[in-house]
Each structure stands twice: as structure tokens, then as C-alpha cells.
Amino acid sequence: MELDLEKRDIEEVEVNITNCKSALSDSKLESDYSLNPYTGCSHGCRYCYSPYVTKEERSWGEFVDVKRNIPKVLADELKRKEKGTIRIGSVTDPYQKAEEKYKLTRRCLKQLNQKDFPTIIQTKSDLIKRDVNILSDMKADVGFTITSLDDDFRKRFEPDAPPISDRLSAIKGLKDQGVGVWAFIGPLFPYKNDDIEDLERLKDTLLSLGVEEIYLDKLNMREGIWGDLQKLLDKETIERYEDIYFGDDDYFERKKGMYDKIGKTVF
Ligand code: SF4
């Protein structure tokens, strides 16, 4: 099967400079508020369900809206909002390529630090190392998503996200400066990145770098995702996935006990 594994540059992503009316949204996802300095994500993960959560109709991975005024809007909101935990990056990576140039996440962090709001950041990008001095000075912890130690898996399913080795080195850099780091292994693809020995190797690597907690989640299937994913899977795997996601194979129930030995499952 011919696969489209070509890497795209940020230049190939449509960048729109926009203004937002509000910065913080009420959240139910283990935080009080969520903050997303960008709409869209240039990492282009093939399993991303953010477009379904955000009801985005444009082609995900091909555009980024840069909310130019978000640091100022956030500063105003922080004066009025009740203190609570803020999660950055609930539906987009706050350290995607555009952040190199626009520094919106960095400027928002400075505001949160000034007002002493506890912050959780989830990313796949080593660009976060740039802000380690701010992070180590504030109440922040960082979650790194690492789906596999195998960079070929990353190239196939997260083609424009940073290589795994860069993410591991970023974890070390943050930990060396006293920043709390947890890891998210997900999504787990049946028969792909969920081999127990591979997961144990990944767990050992993460623990050796000082990661404090490991969470795991399964691949959640949405209609639009399935259409795209089939282009990246071989015939045998497609048939197995049809049984798991659309048939009566209770694969994840059978596997859950095994995943629980690696970390906390969130499904
Ligand atoms: S990094 Fe997250 S938001 Fe961005 S494409 Fe990948 S899964 Fe979606």
C-alpha cells in the first residue's frame, strides 16, 4: 500500500492572524479553565479528534489561526476570574511550529505566572524547552505525549510532530530545571503501539528521565478518523479494527489489565 508520509513545513500551513474575544473557557477536563492560543494544529496527527470536539469544518492540519491578542485578553480576564487551574493545549498543541514565531503561549505563561494561576500544559514539542525558566518559576506541570519509542510510528501517525528523541530530551531538560513532568501514552493502537514489551521499554525510559506519572488512553474512533486511518493501515489490521470498533471484539477490555501495569488508564 502506498502511504503519504511526506513531511510538511509550517510554510505549507495556512496561517491566519485573528483576534479573540475571550481567552479562558470553563473546563471539565481535570482543570477549571482551558486556554488555547491557537486554533488548528500543524502537527497533523492522523488520529486527532480535535476537529470533532471543536466542530471545525476546515481541513485539520492545514491551517492555524493565531489569536494575536490573547495575552492581553487573558491578562484582563485573570483580574476578574476566580483562581483555578488552567489547562493549556486541550484541543491544539500550544508549542506547535507557529509558537516559534508568535510566542503566544510564552506570553500567556508570563501572565499566569504573575497572577499565580496553577497551569497544566500538554504538548508533543521540544520547543517548550525555550520557556523552561518561566515554567520553573511558576506552579506548572507539563504533560508530554509519547505514543511510542519507534520514530517510524511517529512519522506515520504524527507526521509533523517533533521526533520522539527530541521529546525525550525535552523531558530531561525540564526535569533538570525542577519542572514537574507526566507522560501520556496515547492513543494506543491495537496491534501497533501496544505491545507489552514495547510499552514496558517506554515506561522504563520515561521513569528513568524522572517522569512522575504515566497515563494511557486507547485510540478513540470517529467516522472521519477511520476514513483517514484506513489509508495508513494494512488489510489485516483494517479487518481487526473493524471487529474492535464496529464489531463485537472486546479488545480493550481484555487488554486493560495489561495497560494498568504501565500507568493509569483513562478509559
Ligand atoms: S498535537 Fe494534538 S491537537 Fe495537534 S494534531 Fe496532534 S492530536 Fe491533534
Side-chain angles (χ1 to χ4, degrees), residues 4-215:
D4 171 20
L5 299 180
E6 221 172 279
K7 188 163 166 54
R8 289 173 301 116
D9 293 326
I10 182 74
E11 287 74 21
E12 293 176 51
V13 174
E14 179 189 305
V15 177
N16 307 304
I17 308 297
T18 62
N19 286 309
C20 60
K21 291 201 172 82
S22 63
L24 297 173
S25 318
D26 292 337
S27 171
K28 297 181 198 104
L29 200 73
E30 295 156 13
S31 64
D32 300 297
Y33 308 105
S34 63
L35 175 70
N36 288 288
Y38 303 92
T39 303
C41 186
S42 58
H43 288 342
C45 305
R46 302 301 180 98
Y47 51 75
C48 183
Y49 56 82
S50 290
Y52 306 96
V53 175
T54 58
K55 301 190 173 44
E56 177 59 56
E57 287 179 357
R58 291 172 291 174
S59 191
W60 199 260
E62 294 184 6
F63 72 93
V64 180
D65 296 344
V66 174
K67 301 178 191 174
R68 172 174 48 188
N69 63 339
I70 200 167
K72 168 82 177 70
V73 175
L74 175 65
D76 290 343
E77 288 182 11
L78 291 179
K79 289 178 198 156
R80 303 191 303 269
K81 294 275 184 188
E82 206 174 304
K83 188 75 63 75
T85 303
I86 294 179
R87 188 181 191 96
I88 309 183
S90 54
V91 289
T92 180
D93 194 319
Y95 285 97
Q96 60 179 292
K97 267 276 191 184
E99 173 63 16
E100 258 179 62
K101 177 172 176 182
Y102 296 102
K103 301 186 175 71
L104 296 180
T105 300
R106 179 182 174 83
R107 289 164 58 206
C108 288
L109 284 180
K110 287 182 176 175
Q111 298 294 339
L112 295 168
N113 190 17
Q114 263 181 27
K115 296 288 180 193
D116 204 27
F117 272 66
T119 303
I120 302 167
I121 304 162
Q122 190 162 355
T123 186
K124 290 185 170 92
S125 175
D126 56 317
L127 176 58
I128 194 170
K129 280 192 299 188
R130 181 199 64 191
D131 296 341
V132 68
N133 291 344
I134 306 171
L135 292 164
S136 59
D137 189 45
M138 63 187 284
K139 286 182 195 142
D141 64 60
V142 173
F144 253 93
T145 303
I146 303 209
T147 37
S148 171
L149 285 176
D150 175 7
D151 208 52
D152 286 338
F153 180 90
R154 191 274 307 170
K155 285 179 190 159
R156 177 165 299 213
F157 295 105
E158 306 165 347
D160 300 309
I164 302 302
S165 55
D166 291 354
R167 298 184 213 178
L168 296 175
S169 116
I171 291 174
K172 180 163 181 353
L174 294 176
K175 286 297 305 179
D176 285 350
Q177 296 302 314
V179 179
V181 180
W182 47 273
F184 177 73
I185 304 176
L188 292 163
F189 279 64
Y191 306 104
K192 288 286 172 198
N193 64 340
D194 71 339
D195 174 81
I196 185 63
E197 286 179 8
D198 292 344
L199 287 175
E200 276 168 352
R201 262 193 298 279
L202 176 52
K203 173 185 173 178
D204 290 346
T205 302
L206 293 168
L207 293 181
S208 75
L209 294 172
V211 159
E212 290 135 32
E213 290 279 4
I214 297 174
Y215 300 92

